[in-house]
Amino acid sequence: MITLEKRAGPSKAWALVTPLVAVALTMIVGGILFAALGKNPFETIRTIFLDPLFSEFAWFYRPQLLIKGAPLVLIAIGLSFGFRAGVWNIGAEGQYIMGAICGAAVGLAFHPMESRLIFPLMVLAGAFGGWAWAMIPGVLRVKFGTNEILVSLMLVYVAEQLLASMALGAMRNPEGMGFPGSRNLAQYPSAANLELIKDSGMHWGVVAALIAVIFAYVTLSRHIFGFQVRLAGQSPRAANFAGVNPAGMILICLGISGALAGLAGLFEVAGPAGQISIDFNVGYGFTAIIVAFLGRLHPIGILLAGGLMALTYIGGEIAQSNLGLPGAAIQLLQGMLLFFLLAVDMLTNYRIKFGKGGTV
Amino acid sequence: MDLSSINPILLLASLMVAATPILLAAIGELIVERAGVLNLGVEGMMITGAVCGFVVAVSTGSPWLGFIGAAVGGAFLALLFGILTQYLLSNQVATGLALTLFGLGLSALIGQGYIGIKAPSFPDWHIPLLGDIPIIGPIVFQHDPMVYVGLILVAATWWFLHKTQGGLVLRAVGENHDAAHALGYKVTRIRILAIMFGGACAGLGGAYLSLVRVPQWTEGMTAGAGWIALAIVVFAGWKPWRLLLGAYLFGGMTVLQLNLQAAGLAIPVEYLSMSPYIATIVVLVIMSAGRAPRSLGRIFHASR
């Protein structure tokens, strides 16, 4: 007979080990899945997890790692505040889109003027767009008690429609021969989020992600707000007695995650993506949820998890083109990773006891 | 624009069809939540049901077998959620999200070879006598069988929850799992069954989309229907009959905006397409008056 016994506090050692166990389990079950799809499991796993870093074409893939990882880390850092405090913003994808739309709108409005002030202004607009979009579920939750999970998610679909309407209408490139999509911001020097070091993949979004990691680390471990966030998540009642304002907590957490998601969208639209188009968003907002949990909602953990997730994206693309692995298999692998993580997470909070437990 | 091209009878009839997938998914989730479990993976189970139903229906040629396959697929995915949340005591919100992400990937993988194929047809029933009544006949009594299955499920759920002992136990588990445990009810087992029922219903809802409503398989075809089902459960205050109202309200909104699109209203298509989601938010804001089951979303761990 196996029973679970609650630990007095979460085990630090298991908290560090469980993500690794989850990754290992994902590789094993993923390998079985790949074998079932008629691929060589070892070759596929190696292609996904190692080739982007160590193959002969790694010089091409390593910059991609930063480009894909930055938005994931930026969004996940924002989400981690809310997830710690029990505020579930799962509409980061929508906030990401709105950040891109608002930021691009500023850039496009100034075209073809050249000024050093345009890009900073776009950054502000991007953060504002994401923040404002996240404030909708925030204010509705605070004023009317509406469930923020559902509202933030519904707004993703609204934002996607808005994106389509922008790409086809208001923001369409007047010189684009009628094709959908805006002007290419990457070709407009004042608005472009170009690589800071040539061929490194390092753009302003990567810098912002690193700053966000440091900022979050300091806030969570050294600042009273970080303490309040942790308290609100672990014991809402105790947080109330400690003078934490629940409404303020909800608004701040949603605000931070919205603004960071908006920033991620802006850096993407002004750099790697280049333009507002119908298929601009590729699900970073949802994958960031996995990144946040895989990183144990800890800034350093999120940084590592973001890197790993970016790796699966790039490795997945390589496996797709070289081995003919279907793209959906990678999506499944990512979902599986979160599943296994949640499953083995039990070990941090509970102890497994074999045999009949003693009586109390 | 030509509003006279919209036929009110056809509009009301297609409203019932548009509401059915959401109604099916929502009735399952209602049972799950009344048992005290918050499964946010409805979208994932729905799309898995959609693809399982489609694959089974295409390969057997029978839509009925398709629906059975969809229910099995949805229930299987729900079982994963059940094992994680009930035995491995994981966070229900996070696990539900994981289930959705997993389901979207799984369905895309299963459905790869089935894009662009047409589903075997599922003929409408023309119920004798009742179907011949003018106006009401075409609106209510000339649909495919699954529309009525949805209605029967709502009635059966109400009856089960309020008129049977099993329903009483289920509600007790949802309101206070510690007390239910102390009374000797198997909290975990009851919840697992509820979760699997929820998954089967979500699967049926998904299959209704891929086999009747569309009827084709495309990736991500549920487009948030699972989330809307979750919203409707909140809107309904966890009561089966109000669920019907919520689903029809939403179905009406969807059908109306599609009709307006077809009629060439001067509003861009994108703004009409976002209207059902905005309507859901508005409805959530003004009408979420019900009280959630007390143990909803809380982890049950029987301490000795």
Side-chain angles (χ1 to χ4, degrees):
Chain A
M1 171 93 184
I2 302 168
T3 51
L4 297 177
E5 186 185 272
K6 197 158 172 68
R7 293 176 193 270
S11 155
K12 279 231 171 77
W14 274 112
L16 287 175
V17 175
T18 44
L20 302 177
V21 175
V23 172
L25 283 172
T26 308
M27 283 189 188
I28 295 170
V29 179
I32 296 170
L33 172 80
F34 298 145
L37 288 171
K39 310 282 178 233
N40 179 342
F42 299 101
E43 194 188 354
T44 315
I45 295 278
R46 199 203 68 219
T47 309
I48 294 173
F49 290 96
L50 295 179
D51 276 6
L53 291 175
F54 304 112
S55 73
E56 56 177 318
F57 298 111
W59 55 269
F60 177 74
Y61 298 125
R62 282 188 206 126
Q64 290 288 319
L65 211 57
L66 290 182
I67 289 171
K68 291 255 189 320
L72 290 175
V73 170
L74 205 52
I75 300 172
I77 288 281
L79 293 179
S80 69
F81 280 96
F83 288 177
R84 273 174 186 259
V87 181
W88 300 96
N89 172 15
I90 58 168
E93 185 81 358
Q95 293 139 25
Y96 172 85
I97 294 173
M98 292 312 286
I101 292 179
C102 288
V106 170
L108 292 171
F110 281 110
H111 183 86
M113 195 177 99
E114 296 290 350
S115 161
R116 282 171 165 271
L117 294 175
I118 293 176
F119 189 65
L121 215 58
M122 286 168 65
V123 172
L124 285 179
F128 173 80
W131 172 83
W133 207 243
M135 275 302 105
I136 300 172
V139 170
L140 292 182
R141 163 83 191 265
V142 170
K143 290 275 175 216
F144 304 102
T146 318
N147 184 319
E148 82 277 12
I149 300 178
L150 295 172
V151 175
S152 63
L153 196 103
M154 288 293 141
L155 286 174
V156 174
Y157 295 98
V158 177
E160 278 178 350
Q161 293 297 334
L162 212 57
L163 177 75
S165 127
M166 287 296 151
L168 297 168
M171 290 190 183
R172 183 153 69 180
N173 185 355
E175 290 150 22
M177 326 271 229
F179 283 107
S182 72
R183 277 180 203 280
N184 197 323
L185 289 165
Q187 289 163 9
Y188 170 27
S190 289
N193 170 29
L194 296 175
E195 284 184 324
L196 300 172
I197 307 164
K198 199 175 174 317
D199 295 332
S200 65
M202 185 87 160
H203 62 72
W204 282 110
V206 181
V207 178
L210 292 176
I211 294 173
V213 167
I214 296 166
F215 167 82
Y217 183 80
V218 174
T219 308
L220 284 172
S221 58
R222 296 281 178 273
H223 194 271
I224 179 82
F225 173 68
F227 170 72
Q228 288 176 342
V229 165
R230 284 185 288 154
L231 193 60
Q234 280 165 12
S235 167
R237 247 170 80 81
N240 246 332
F241 288 129
V244 178
N245 173 4
M249 183 59 72
I250 291 167
L251 290 178
I252 293 174
C253 286
L254 278 167
I256 294 178
S257 54
L260 290 182
L263 277 180
L266 174 271
F267 290 126
E268 187 73 15
V269 77
Q275 56 166 186
I276 291 284
S277 57
I278 298 177
D279 50 1
F280 163 72
N281 61 315
V282 290
Y284 285 144
F286 293 115
T287 314
I289 298 172
I290 305 180
V291 171
F293 280 110
L294 189 64
R296 306 235 132 272
L297 307 179
H298 186 283
I300 308 292
I302 288 172
L303 189 64
L304 297 172
L308 181 74
M309 224 30 131
L311 197 66
T312 61
Y313 265 119
I314 297 158
E317 277 170 20
I318 304 174
Q320 222 172 321
S321 58
N322 291 3
L323 308 174
L325 188 76
I330 296 302
Q331 208 182 344
L332 190 62
L333 197 75
Q334 292 174 343
M336 214 148 64
L337 183 57
L338 183 51
F339 256 147
F340 279 122
L341 185 78
L342 292 164
V344 292
D345 218 16
M346 182 253 314
L347 295 169
T348 49
N349 290 315
Y350 297 89
R351 203 174 273 132
I352 296 178
K353 286 243 161 159
F354 296 96
K356 277 231 178 286
T359 48
V360 173
Chain B
M1 186 183 70
D2 184 17
L3 281 182
S4 60
S5 66
I6 299 176
N7 178 343
I9 294 177
L10 270 181
L11 188 79
L12 287 172
S14 49
L15 177 156
M16 287 187 71
V17 173
T20 298
I22 301 155
L23 184 66
L24 285 167
I27 200 74
E29 180 65 14
L30 184 122
I31 289 282
V32 178
E33 294 196 12
R34 284 305 279 269
V37 179
L38 181 63
N39 185 353
L40 291 182
V42 182
E43 180 85 3
M45 302 186 297
M46 239 180 135
I47 194 131
T48 306
V51 78
C52 290
F54 192 81
V55 169
V56 173
V58 165
S59 45
T60 61
S62 154
W64 284 110
L65 285 176
F67 277 107
I68 291 170
V72 171
F76 175 76
L77 207 61
L79 183 63
L80 281 180
F81 173 89
I83 291 169
L84 277 166
T85 56
Q86 302 307 308
Y87 292 111
L88 299 175
L89 309 175
S90 67
N91 178 314
Q92 293 178 7
V93 174
T95 314
L97 289 175
L99 195 70
T100 291
L101 296 173
F102 183 80
L104 288 172
L106 183 68
S107 63
L109 192 63
I110 298 175
Q112 268 183 77
Y114 290 88
I115 295 171
I117 300 177
K118 210 174 154 9
S121 69
F122 197 46
D124 284 353
W125 274 355
H126 187 103
I127 298 173
L129 291 175
L130 288 173
D132 296 328
I133 307 170
I135 300 174
I136 296 176
I139 294 176
V140 185
F141 297 112
Q142 294 185 9
H143 291 298
D144 59 90
M146 282 313 283
V147 169
Y148 307 110
V149 170
L151 294 175
I152 292 166
L153 265 177
V154 172
T157 302
W158 171 82
W159 178 79
F160 170 75
L161 280 176
H162 296 280
K163 300 287 169 197
T164 66
Q165 201 194 342
L168 194 65
V169 172
L170 184 101
R171 284 188 289 147
V173 167
E175 288 297 327
N176 189 333
H177 50 214
D178 292 319
H181 175 66
L183 286 171
Y185 297 125
K186 304 279 184 221
V187 174
T188 308
R189 192 176 305 161
I190 291 164
R191 284 189 168 163
I192 290 274
L193 288 175
I195 289 167
M196 288 183 67
F197 175 76
C201 285
L204 287 180
Y208 191 81
L209 280 174
S210 64
L211 290 177
V212 182
R213 186 90 207 289
V214 177
Q216 263 191 8
W217 163 252
T218 46
E219 271 182 37
M221 67 180 304
T222 45
W227 295 100
I228 288 166
L230 277 161
I232 284 173
V233 175
V234 178
F235 159 80
W238 292 269
K239 293 188 181 72
W241 291 114
R242 284 191 56 184
L243 205 64
L244 203 60
L245 180 70
Y248 282 174
L249 249 168
F250 179 82
M253 192 73 206
T254 312
V255 169
L256 188 66
Q257 66 96 0
L258 285 175
N259 272 280
L260 288 175
Q261 279 187 21
L265 190 68
I267 302 172
V269 173
E270 293 83 21
Y271 293 93
L272 286 171
S273 305
M274 68 175 76
S275 61
Y277 304 106
I278 294 177
T280 307
I281 294 175
V282 171
V283 157
L284 270 180
V285 169
I286 52 181
M287 295 187 73
S288 37
R291 191 183 62 78
R294 283 239 163 74
S295 291
L296 186 63
R298 281 173 44 210
I299 293 173
F300 173 71
H301 178 227
S303 53
R304 358 165 133 258

